[in-house]
């Protein structure tokens, strides 16, 4: 900012006034600060020049001088920018000036009270005139030759003398910095854009330049500056086409903060189209070109799924029909993932019809949908539906393998026609490069090619490629179902989940029936390697001997044959616990089934009889063993299996089952049921019914979780004006979280913070901010700064009233604290 040219004579008169102003700069609000700075800007920056002039001849200062402000920017993380203004004296005479002056004003952009310091150093410098045209020419040459250090120095000189260069040079300057993909120069470019907008010079910035800068910022991981430039474009009504900003969205969605911001951007832009507009009017064409399309929604939703912000993703799904977004097969599968994560089983069942009727769905996409449906059944505790799905998969797989169509399916699956579109353009190398942060280094779109591509087709292709990477990452999370030659097959993981679920609710008979039916469809290699035998052995290792015995009885009654190892292991476990009655019963069952126990089992039985002083029984067992001619080196399969589990070796399904039961928490399916009910009432804005449901949920012993409270908060916010209810709910949430293991997540705290800021409850808002920052959660400060300016723009501006109650004083302090946090004071 140029201060203007003034003579040396008037400076001495203003020195005392400026010095007094500098001494009273602390603890001022924004308005007072600006008022005090006005005279200082006119005179105070030349105070040291005047002071130095007292001992110099008047002829030396017969010239006029100019003082200019040079901004520099320092990024502090989380979108915060500290602006440091340096003021340098520039002369236009050939004489010597006996001084050098610098005034440094540091504005931390709302993080703390502004820090001002004043310093001067006396010395001798030669002040010489510079041709502004020559500086512009040198600056342009330095930019074209990529001498960025020289270009930046020349830019500073130009800012000192004339302010911003001409429009074409400013845009060339910005695009060159962006094209370098260097974080330092990208930050410099972003700082210049912010300065231009703050000073009302946004007419210097071209639309294509800002789009390209936002794209490069997002590609290099600077998601907050990238999203800010995109938001500024929308504010200035320089609407970027969706084919361009969807690529920015795709790069942002590769990280957790970026994915959250991507969802916010789609929401903000989508709101512009909810009321509809006439596409026939030419004036609406640029805005309509920005309308979010299916690809943009797919990118934002996939990012939400990968970084576990699925409730925000569901809000995006609710917006889609209101702005007329078409649904493709990829979106159908993403919707299934969202419904499964949020416990929307009814919506998943409705979606099943569309999945089954979709003509171009790949086997990978089928696998993802049925994995979601199966997981949802398990979360709701519907073991019958889950086991039925597994048996149906096994039956269809057996039919397909035994039919002539199997060969055709194998041929089609081996070709490219059965692969999903993202997989056709994706290679593992690209995915690895993205994981290692090398994606932006391999692909570089220079500004010239970017500018010539008027339809942004290259950016659109890159957005789809990055969407493919997100979808592959999502596919990696599917673990209940696999595909063999295009045929869905259950994995060991689903057996583990089902077994654990049946055992937890005590449905041993139902478990045995399910496993026996499953084995009829998928015969094991040997009787001792069946799923049922592995489950029995796992129960024995866990000490659940009665359940193991019940399963063995069901297996025997169903006519399913098994080897001696499982009987032997159960006998040994009973002997170890001195349960003689169960041992006798098990031995009778083994003899009826024609099972011959091994020598190790007899040794344990004999030892057990001896310990019980039953020497005759021990002798009888020894004779029985001798008559049966059982060799001494008995079958040690079970002991080897146990050792393998203990050593964390590959124990297959048995090892996974043991780990799941020991480490996994018991699933409370009732929470999912009640969350579904509460969500329904909140969505219909029936908050009294939602409150009753929450009360009933607690009385039945089901502990609410983050999803429960999120539904309540968003329900109150939808009604409007229910800030007191949210405040009471916030108090309950804090006490509940301190007494239980419930954890607040980012989505819940963000919804609470939004409600408090909207209602002006800044004391509570500061509590939420403190909690989120303590847990290192990302906060979109831009959103809350915009929200504050929209609803509380005139709040706490000017001096505080002289007479205030203690409550009013605390409320004002809380408001100013929040205002400072968002960078407005």
């Amino acid at each position: 900012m140029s201060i203007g040219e003034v003579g040396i004579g008037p400076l001495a008169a203003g020195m005392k006034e400026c010095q007094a102003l500098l001494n009273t700069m602390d603890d001022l609000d924004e308005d007072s600060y600006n008022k005090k700075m006005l005279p200082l800007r006119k005179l105070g920056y030349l105070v040291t020049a005047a002071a130095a002039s007292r001992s110099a001849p008047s002829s030396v200062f017969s010239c006029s001088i100019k003082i200019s402000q040079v901004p520099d920017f320092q990024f502090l993380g989380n979108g915060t920018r500290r602006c440091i203004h340096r003021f340098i004296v520039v002369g236009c005479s050939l004489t010597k000036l006996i001084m050098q002056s610098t005034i440094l004003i540091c504005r931390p952009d709302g993080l703390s009270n502004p820090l001002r310091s004043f310093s001067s150093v006396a010395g001798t410098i030669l002040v010489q005139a510079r041709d502004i045209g020559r500086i512009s020419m040198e600056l342009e040459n330095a930019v074209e030759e990529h001498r960025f250090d020289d270009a930046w120095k020349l830019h500073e000189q130009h800012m000192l003398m004339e302010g911003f260069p001409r429009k074409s040079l400013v845009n060339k300057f910005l695009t060159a910095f962006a094209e370098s993909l260097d974080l330092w120069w990208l930050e410099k470019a972003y700082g210049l854009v912010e300065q231009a907008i703050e000073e009302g010079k946004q007419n210097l910035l071209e639309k294509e330049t800002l789009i390209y800068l936002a794209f490069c910022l997002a590609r290099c991981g600077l998601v907050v500056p990238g999203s800010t430039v995109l938001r500024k474009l929308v504010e200035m009504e320089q609407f970027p086409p969706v084919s361009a900003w969807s690529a920015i969205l795709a790069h942002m969605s590769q990280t957790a903060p970026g994915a959250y911001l991507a969802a916010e951007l789609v929401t903000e832009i989508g709101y512009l189209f909810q009321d509809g507009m006439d596409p026939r009017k030419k004036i609406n064409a640029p805005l309509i070109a920005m309308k979010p399309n299916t690809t943009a929604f797919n990118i934002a939703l996939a990012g939400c799924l990968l970084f576990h912000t699925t409730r925000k993703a569901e809000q995006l799904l609710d917006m889609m029909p209101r702005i007329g977004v078409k649904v493709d097969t990829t979106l159908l599968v993403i919707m299934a993932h969202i419904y499964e994560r949020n416990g929307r089983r009814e919506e998943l069942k409705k979606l099943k019809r569309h999945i089954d009727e979709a003509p171009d769905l790949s086997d990978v996409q089928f696998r993802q949908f049925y994995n979601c449906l199966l997981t949802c059944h398990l979360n709701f505790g519907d073991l019958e539906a889950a086991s039925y799905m597994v048996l149906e998969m096994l039956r269809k797989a057996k039919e397909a393998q035994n039919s002539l169509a199997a060969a055709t399916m194998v041929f089609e699956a081996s070709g490219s026609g059965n692969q999903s579109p993202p997989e056709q353009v994706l290679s593992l190398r690209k995915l690895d490069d993205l994981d290692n942060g090398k994606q932006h280094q391999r692909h570089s779109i220079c500004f010239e090619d970017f500018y010539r591509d008027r339809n942004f087709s290259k950016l659109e292709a890159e957005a789809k490629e990055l969407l493919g990477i997100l979808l592959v990452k999502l596919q990696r999370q599917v673990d209940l179902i696999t595909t063999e030659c295009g045929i869905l097959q259950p994995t060991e993981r689903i057996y583990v989940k089902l077994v654990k679920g049946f055992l937890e609710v005590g449905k041993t008979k139902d478990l045995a029936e399910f496993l026996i039916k499953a084995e009829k469809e998928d015969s094991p290699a040997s009787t001792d390697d069946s799923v049922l035998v592995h489950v029995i052995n796992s129960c024995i290792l866990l000490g659940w001997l009665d359940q193991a015995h019940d399963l063995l009885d069901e297996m025997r009654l169903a006519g399913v044959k098994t080897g001696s190892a499982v009987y032997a292991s159960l006998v040994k476990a009973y002997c170890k616990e001195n349960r003689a009655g169960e041992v006798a019963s098990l031995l009778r069952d083994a003899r009826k089934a024609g099972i011959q126990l091994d020598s190790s089992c007899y040794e344990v039985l004999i030892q057990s009889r001896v310990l019980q002083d039953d020497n005759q029984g021990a002798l009888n067992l020894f004779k029985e063993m001798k008559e049966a001619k059982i060799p001494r080196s008995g079958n040690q399969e079970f002991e080897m299996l146990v050792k393998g589990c203990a050593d964390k070796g590959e124990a297959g399904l048995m090892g996974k089952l043991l780990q799941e039961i020991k480490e996994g928490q018991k699933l409370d399916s009732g929470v999912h049921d009640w969350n579904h009910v509460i969500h329904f009432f909140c969505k219909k804005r029936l908050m009294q019914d939602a409150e009753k449901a929450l009360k009933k949920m607690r009385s039945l012993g089901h502990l609410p979780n983050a999803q429960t409270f999120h539904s309540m908060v968003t329900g109150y916010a939808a009604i409007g004006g229910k800030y007191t209810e949210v405040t009471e709910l916030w108090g309950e949430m804090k006490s509940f979280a301190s007494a239980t293991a419930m954890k607040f997540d980012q989505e819940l705290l963000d919804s609470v913070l939004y409600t408090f800021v909207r209602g002006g409850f800044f004391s509570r808002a500061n509590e939420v901010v403190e909690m989120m920052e303590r847990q290192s959660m990302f906060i979109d400060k831009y959103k809350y700064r915009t929200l504050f300016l929209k609803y509380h723009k005139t709040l706490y501006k000017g001096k505080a009233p002289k007479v205030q109650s203690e409550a009013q004083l605390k409320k004002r302090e809380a408001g100013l604290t929040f205002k400072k946090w968002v960078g407005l004071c």
Side-chain angles (χ1 to χ4, degrees):
M1 179 181 71
S2 177
I3 303 301
E5 296 189 358
V6 296
I8 292 296
L11 296 180
M15 184 181 71
K16 292 183 179 179
E17 179 185 357
C18 295
Q19 186 63 52
L21 287 172
L22 284 171
N23 293 334
T24 59
M25 295 294 287
D26 294 331
D27 301 324
L28 297 179
D29 57 26
E30 185 176 4
D31 287 343
S32 301
Y33 171 74
N34 289 330
K35 290 177 182 177
K36 295 236 179 226
M37 281 295 293
L38 185 60
L40 189 60
R41 290 192 178 108
K42 294 179 178 178
L43 295 172
Y45 297 145
L46 304 181
V47 169
T48 53
S53 69
R54 290 182 174 182
S55 59
S58 60
S59 60
V60 174
F61 300 99
S62 60
C63 66
S64 62
I65 62 175
K66 180 194 291 183
I67 305 300
S68 294
Q69 172 181 342
V70 181
D72 195 6
F73 302 97
Q74 183 177 5
F75 285 81
L76 303 178
N78 197 22
T80 305
R81 178 177 63 86
R82 183 167 65 182
C83 183
I84 300 174
H85 299 272
R86 291 188 176 87
F87 302 88
I88 301 175
V89 181
V90 178
C92 57
S93 172
L94 298 178
T95 60
K96 292 184 178 179
L97 180 63
I98 315 297
M99 65 74 66
Q100 179 181 8
S101 174
T102 301
I103 290 182
L104 177 66
I105 294 183
C106 176
R107 294 295 304 274
D109 202 12
L111 291 178
S112 61
N113 287 330
L115 173 65
R116 295 111 186 168
S117 63
F118 182 91
S119 64
S120 64
V121 180
T124 302
I125 61 171
L126 179 63
V127 181
Q128 51 184 312
R130 293 298 306 272
D131 183 0
I132 192 66
R134 184 174 180 180
I135 291 178
S136 296
M137 184 177 64
E138 291 176 359
L139 173 58
E140 188 169 5
N141 292 335
V143 170
E144 290 177 351
E145 295 170 7
H146 298 284
R147 294 183 286 109
F148 294 143
D149 289 322
D150 295 338
W152 183 254
K153 291 176 184 178
L154 291 165
H155 167 74
E156 287 181 326
Q157 292 183 23
H158 200 291
M159 292 292 292
L160 287 169
M161 299 177 68
E162 290 290 333
F164 280 97
R166 64 182 184 274
K167 183 175 182 178
S168 61
L169 189 52
V170 168
N171 287 275
K172 184 178 291 187
F173 196 61
L174 293 174
T175 54
F177 280 4
E179 194 174 12
S180 70
L181 297 179
D182 182 274
L183 295 180
W184 172 260
W185 297 117
L186 280 168
E187 289 173 350
K188 290 284 189 182
Y190 172 69
L192 286 176
V193 169
E194 274 211 324
Q195 183 194 1
I197 294 174
E198 287 171 3
E199 296 182 9
K201 303 282 188 180
Q202 57 264 31
N203 60 321
L204 294 175
L205 307 172
E206 292 182 353
K207 176 180 175 180
E208 289 78 10
T209 300
L210 293 181
I211 294 174
Y212 184 70
L213 176 61
F215 174 72
C216 294
L217 286 167
R219 166 177 283 184
C220 293
L222 299 174
V223 294
V224 175
S227 64
T228 303
V229 173
L230 196 56
R231 282 164 158 165
K232 292 294 184 184
L233 275 166
V234 178
E235 285 181 10
M236 295 186 298
E237 296 186 356
Q238 297 292 322
F239 304 120
V242 65
S243 54
W245 69 263
S246 59
I248 300 172
L249 215 66
H251 281 287
M252 290 172 58
S253 297
Q254 307 297 328
T255 63
Y260 201 86
L261 278 172
E264 291 283 5
L265 284 169
V266 174
T267 303
E268 292 169 12
I269 295 175
Y271 277 139
L272 301 175
F273 300 91
Q274 288 195 120
D275 298 330
M277 59 187 64
D278 191 352
R280 294 170 297 180
K281 294 183 179 179
K282 289 185 178 180
I283 195 173
N284 291 335
L287 181 58
I288 292 174
M290 187 182 67
K291 179 181 174 181
N293 58 11
T294 308
T295 301
F297 269 94
N298 282 338
I299 291 169
L301 294 172
C304 288
L305 283 170
L306 285 174
F307 298 104
H308 312 292
T309 52
T310 53
R311 294 191 289 278
K312 183 168 286 293
E314 192 166 359
Q315 292 173 358
L316 288 176
L317 289 183
D318 293 338
M319 174 184 283
M320 286 169 51
R322 295 199 293 267
I323 64 176
V325 176
K326 296 180 180 180
V327 178
D328 62 359
T329 55
T330 300
L331 189 52
L332 283 175
V333 176
I334 289 177
M335 290 169 67
H337 281 284
I338 295 169
Y339 290 148
E340 176 258 307
R341 300 274 185 90
N342 294 342
R344 312 286 183 243
R345 188 161 65 143
E346 294 304 315
E347 283 80 356
L348 261 179
K349 291 179 179 178
K350 295 175 183 176
L351 195 62
K352 185 177 182 299
R353 179 173 60 86
H354 299 284
I355 291 290
D356 292 337
E357 293 176 356
D360 53 349
L361 218 64
S362 69
D363 60 331
V364 175
Q365 291 171 320
F366 267 115
R367 183 174 71 206
Q368 289 183 79
F369 173 77
Y370 282 101
N371 186 88
C372 293
L373 185 57
L374 195 52
T375 303
C376 213
H377 286 323
L378 291 173
N379 290 338
F380 276 84
D382 193 348
L383 301 174
E384 182 180 355
S387 57
Y388 176 79
M389 276 189 65
V390 172
L391 293 174
E392 278 294 294
M393 273 189 281
L394 291 173
R395 182 182 61 79
K396 290 180 180 179
K398 190 174 183 180
E399 289 177 356
Q401 290 170 353
N402 294 334
S403 66
L404 185 62
T408 306
M409 294 179 67
V410 171
F411 176 78
E412 291 177 351
S414 62
S416 60
N418 202 33
Q419 295 180 355
S420 58
E423 290 177 310
Q424 293 176 350
V425 298
L426 181 67
S427 67
L428 292 175
R429 181 178 178 183
K430 290 178 182 177
L431 186 57
D432 292 338
D433 284 345
L434 186 73
D435 292 337
N436 296 329
K438 299 178 181 178
Q439 184 74 10
H440 66 273
Q441 297 176 6
R442 297 189 307 101
H443 294 288
S444 179
I445 301 177
C446 68
F447 181 73
E448 186 178 352
D449 293 339
F450 172 87
Y451 190 80
R452 282 201 300 260
D453 186 11
R454 307 304 295 175
N455 295 323
F456 301 101
S457 56
K458 289 184 179 179
L459 262 64
E460 188 175 14
E462 187 163 339
K464 291 180 178 179
E465 181 178 342
L466 290 171
L467 172 60
I469 292 174
L470 293 173
L471 294 177
V472 169
K473 289 182 178 180
L474 198 59
Q475 292 165 16
R476 289 177 173 178
Q477 300 178 1
V478 175
D479 61 350
L480 301 182
I481 299 175
T482 186
T483 308
E484 294 180 8
C485 301
I487 304 169
L488 297 179
Q489 294 274 15
T491 64
E492 287 184 340
R493 187 73 178 164
I494 182 57
Y495 285 109
V496 169
K497 293 281 188 183
L498 281 170
V499 169
K500 181 174 179 280
F502 277 117
L503 291 175
E504 281 180 349
V505 296
K507 294 184 176 181
T508 309
K509 184 176 181 180
D510 293 338
L511 173 60
E513 289 179 358
F514 161 68
L515 293 177
I516 290 169
K517 289 178 181 178
E519 287 173 3
K520 288 181 179 178
E521 301 293 346
D522 186 20
S523 301
S526 66
T527 55
D528 288 331
D529 192 37
S530 66
V531 175
L532 188 51
V533 170
H534 281 301
V535 171
I536 295 171
N537 286 332
S538 300
C539 290
I540 294 170
L541 282 176
L542 292 166
W544 300 349
L545 304 184
D546 292 335
Q547 289 91 330
H549 199 166
D550 291 342
L551 287 171
L552 198 55
D553 285 343
E554 293 295 334
M555 191 175 180
R556 179 175 54 81
L557 292 173
V560 179
K561 294 182 180 181
T562 184
S564 62
V566 66
Y567 278 93
S569 60
L570 188 53
V571 165
K572 293 173 185 178
Y574 275 140
C575 289
K576 189 175 181 179
E577 294 191 4
N578 296 322
R579 298 175 64 174
E582 285 80 358
V583 170
S585 174
L586 191 60
L587 288 174
R588 286 195 300 269
D589 295 339
R591 292 189 185 100
K592 289 180 181 178
I595 302 295
Q596 179 63 62
L597 301 178
D598 60 23
S599 61
S600 64
C601 186
Y602 273 100
E603 288 171 5
V604 172
L605 287 169
I606 292 169
Q607 186 179 2
S608 175
R609 296 293 172 89
V610 171
L611 291 174
Q612 295 172 7
D613 295 329
D614 186 5
N615 295 329
Q616 186 60 43
L619 184 60
N620 292 336
L621 285 170
F622 182 77
K623 289 179 179 179
E624 182 179 332
M625 178 182 173
K626 191 174 182 180
E627 291 173 359
K629 297 180 180 180
I630 298 174
R632 279 283 184 176
S633 54
N635 190 352
Q636 303 297 321
E637 289 182 6
F638 182 71
E639 283 76 6
M640 292 174 64
L641 187 58
V642 173
K643 187 177 184 302
C645 290
D647 296 339
K648 296 183 179 180
E650 294 186 3
L653 182 140
M654 183 176 170
K656 294 176 184 176
L657 179 58
L658 290 172
Q659 184 179 2
E660 177 75 20
I661 292 175
K662 289 179 179 179
E663 297 180 2
Q665 296 181 349
K666 187 173 181 179
L667 181 67
D668 187 359
S669 57
V671 173
H672 289 272
D673 287 320
W674 283 105
N675 277 348
H676 182 71
V677 173
I678 292 171
H679 173 75
F680 172 80
F681 286 138
C682 292
K683 197 169 183 179
K684 297 294 183 181
R685 303 187 181 185
L686 303 172
M687 294 310 298
Q688 290 185 345
D689 293 322
E691 291 168 358
K692 292 177 183 177
L694 179 59
K695 186 176 180 181
K696 183 68 174 177
M697 176 184 182
R698 287 171 171 167
S699 66
L700 293 174
H702 302 296
L703 298 179
N705 56 17
Q707 185 172 344
T708 316
F709 289 116
H710 185 271
S711 297
M712 295 295 295
V713 172
T714 52
Y716 283 131
I719 294 177
K722 298 293 183 178
Y723 305 117
T724 304
E725 287 80 354
V726 176
T727 304
E728 293 174 356
L729 192 64
W730 171 242
E732 292 180 21
M733 289 161 57
K734 289 189 293 183
S735 60
F736 185 76
S738 61
T740 64
M742 191 198 84
K743 292 183 179 180
F744 296 111
D745 59 25
Q746 181 185 5
E747 290 180 285
L748 173 59
L749 292 178
D750 187 72
S751 63
V752 175
L753 178 58
Y754 188 92
T755 307
F756 284 151
V757 176
R758 172 66 180 85
F761 287 67
F762 296 111
S763 177
R764 297 287 179 258
N766 291 333
E767 290 180 11
V768 181
V769 168
E770 182 182 356
M771 182 177 292
M772 294 182 76
E773 289 183 339
R774 189 167 60 246
Q775 298 181 26
S776 301
M777 294 181 182
F778 173 76
I779 311 175
D780 185 6
K781 282 190 178 182
Y782 188 98
K783 178 176 73 173
Y784 290 109
R785 183 162 56 247
T786 305
L787 188 66
F788 187 94
L789 291 174
K790 182 177 181 180
Y791 294 106
H792 314 289
K793 187 175 183 179
T794 59
L795 194 63
Y796 307 127
K797 296 190 73 174
K799 295 182 179 179
K802 293 183 178 180
V803 180
Q804 287 189 98
S805 64
E806 186 177 354
Q808 289 174 329
L809 182 61
K810 288 183 178 178
K811 187 175 181 181
R812 180 181 178 84
E813 289 177 353
L816 289 173
T817 300
F818 184 84
K819 193 175 180 181
K820 186 180 297 183
W821 177 75
V822 295
L824 292 174
C825 65

